[in-house]
Amino acid sequence: LFGKKVFIDDKIRDCFDSPTDRSRMLLIKSENDKEGLQCSLYAGMEDNKFSDDDTYAIWLALEEAYKNAVEAGNGEVPVNYLVTNSNAQFTLKSKLSNFDPTKLPDPRKDENLENPRGKGILLIVSTMNEVYFSEDYSCIKVVRNKGGKNLDV
């Protein structure tokens, strides 16, 4: 995807049916809910001594994934998240229809610079260490390792 490695793993949907003891679930119904989730992620990352770059990267990925879900018509967006000593991750579920990120135009090409489609996914895959999609692309899971990579577009 845009020259970045992503994984297809239908098991990522399982986190919504049986979350682990350490993960947290939240149903985002508003901007306030999203900001609350971002604050929770930030606090967990700060407690585990993540860098500002890591914290910003996970914030940016959540912002873009949530925006995509809302633009697809989701009023409520379930998110499962976990912060450990070594990584921060979240899985977001969306009711996307006919979404296939492999068919997005490459926003780095001159002819697509004015087209907003694809920019959010490019930012996500460029700032995360691991990105997974469910087979039908309705779920995205992102993982940012402590000391993770810098922006790679």
Side-chain angles (χ1 to χ4, degrees):
L1 185 60
F2 307 129
K4 315 292 180 209
K5 183 156 179 87
V6 297
F7 305 94
I8 302 296
D9 182 359
D10 228 28
K11 293 179 188 169
I12 65 172
R13 286 193 243 182
D14 295 347
C15 72
F16 296 102
D17 298 327
S18 54
T20 67
D21 292 340
R22 299 182 325 164
S23 67
R24 301 282 183 261
M25 290 279 296
L26 180 67
L27 187 61
I28 302 175
K29 299 178 185 177
S30 67
E31 278 292 315
N32 285 342
D33 290 344
K34 180 191 54 110
E35 290 168 8
L37 171 57
Q38 287 170 323
C39 287
S40 294
L41 281 165
Y42 176 80
M45 293 176 81
E46 187 175 59
D47 290 347
N48 285 286
K49 301 186 181 359
F50 280 78
S51 71
D52 289 343
D53 288 345
D54 293 332
T55 304
Y56 180 72
I58 202 81
W59 175 88
L60 180 65
L62 177 60
E63 189 74 24
E64 292 299 331
Y66 175 73
K67 183 176 73 171
N68 288 344
V70 169
E71 286 175 3
N74 290 267
E76 298 179 344
V77 180
V79 178
N80 182 297
Y81 68 98
L82 174 65
V83 178
T84 68
N85 190 33
S86 60
N87 70 51
Q89 57 185 276
F90 69 82
T91 305
L92 182 142
K93 188 174 185 179
S94 179
K95 297 175 196 156
L96 297 172
S97 59
N98 300 321
F99 174 73
D100 182 348
T102 64
K103 295 193 169 122
L104 290 171
D106 188 336
R108 299 168 296 181
K109 293 189 175 185
D110 288 342
E111 65 268 20
N112 298 324
L113 292 179
E114 300 295 320
N115 184 351
R117 296 197 32 85
K119 287 181 173 70
I121 295 291
L122 176 62
L123 284 170
I124 292 170
V125 299
S126 298
T127 57
M128 295 294 107
N129 294 99
E130 298 172 37
V131 178
Y132 300 85
F133 286 99
S134 59
E135 287 181 15
D136 64 357
Y137 301 111
S138 66
C139 292
I140 182 172
K141 176 181 178 178
V142 301
V143 179
R144 174 70 182 209
N145 296 332
K146 187 187 285 186
K149 66 181 182 178
N150 292 327
L151 184 63
D152 175 28
V153 265

